[in-house]
Amino acid sequence: MASYTFGQHLIKSSVVFFRSRLTFAFVNRKPVVPGHVLVSPLRPVDRFVDMTGDEVADLFQTTQTLSKVIQDQYKASSLSIAMQDGPDAGQSVWHVHVHILPRKAGDFRKNDDIYDEVENHDHVNFDSSSRQEWRGEEEMAQEASILRKLFPLHFTSDIDL
């Protein structure tokens, strides 16, 4: 079973639901809202400015493609799409990634509270007791399996990484 590099972490293929030539998408271990997924370039790259033009185009084309389906799948009326680029922007995983968060009316007291939640989410100490708040691998794999079926032409487990 292949795994993907995501900064200092390895992402198991069981939680990846979409892959293009340059990008992969996976379910979130600790989603801020149901359906919160991450999209990242396959090549480990710390900062947005370090990506190639092809990687940027593929990352955002993938984000757009996934957004349409994620919004419908999670019966959302809107989406928050966010990227934290650099430590002063709140980036804590040193691999470019885009958050796609399905939104519904009243899901947060103040609409922009979601950005505080994303920032706090990204600052989880991966070695701490906060792991008990994480979803289990089986739950994540089940969600990825459902989402993978929505993109049958965009995921092939046989592609070399």
Side-chain angles (χ1 to χ4, degrees):
M1 177 181 287
S3 60
Y4 297 76
T5 300
F6 179 58
Q8 61 272 36
H9 311 288
L10 285 180
I11 303 298
K12 293 184 178 184
S13 63
S14 62
V15 303
V16 173
F17 65 90
F18 184 99
R19 185 172 60 214
S20 68
R21 188 173 63 85
L22 300 173
T23 304
F24 71 109
F26 54 102
V27 301
N28 205 312
R29 186 173 291 247
K30 188 179 175 189
V32 172
V33 294
H36 177 184
V37 299
L38 301 173
V39 186
S40 190
L42 284 167
R43 182 175 67 96
V45 57
D46 292 354
R47 300 288 306 275
F48 182 72
V49 297
D50 298 326
M51 294 174 64
T52 67
D54 285 346
E55 288 171 324
V56 170
D58 195 73
L59 179 73
F60 282 102
Q61 182 62 54
T62 297
T63 298
Q64 182 183 45
T65 298
L66 298 180
S67 293
K68 294 173 186 176
V69 175
I70 293 293
Q71 182 171 317
D72 290 344
Q73 179 67 19
Y74 290 92
K75 297 175 179 30
S77 58
S78 302
L79 297 165
S80 287
I81 298 172
M83 176 190 297
Q84 296 153 303
D85 188 39
D88 294 327
Q91 182 180 8
S92 62
V93 175
W94 295 107
H95 193 141
V96 171
H97 58 287
V98 176
H99 296 260
I100 302 175
L101 302 108
R103 300 294 304 276
K104 297 177 182 179
D107 56 1
F108 287 87
R109 190 175 64 78
K110 291 189 315 189
N111 197 38
D112 284 349
D113 286 349
I114 194 161
Y115 299 110
D116 291 333
E117 290 294 325
V118 169
E119 184 172 355
N120 292 334
H121 162 274
D122 265 5
H123 284 95
V124 170
N125 179 351
F126 287 92
D127 297 321
S128 76
S129 62
S130 66
R131 284 185 178 215
Q132 37 192 328
E133 299 173 18
W134 292 2
R135 298 190 300 166
E137 186 178 330
E138 185 175 316
E139 180 183 352
M140 293 170 62
Q142 287 174 350
E143 182 180 17
S145 177
I146 291 166
L147 293 174
R148 200 175 297 122
K149 290 174 186 170
L150 302 174
F151 303 101
L153 301 177
H154 292 92
F155 189 88
T156 306
S157 59
D158 298 338
I159 294 175
D160 291 330
L161 300 177

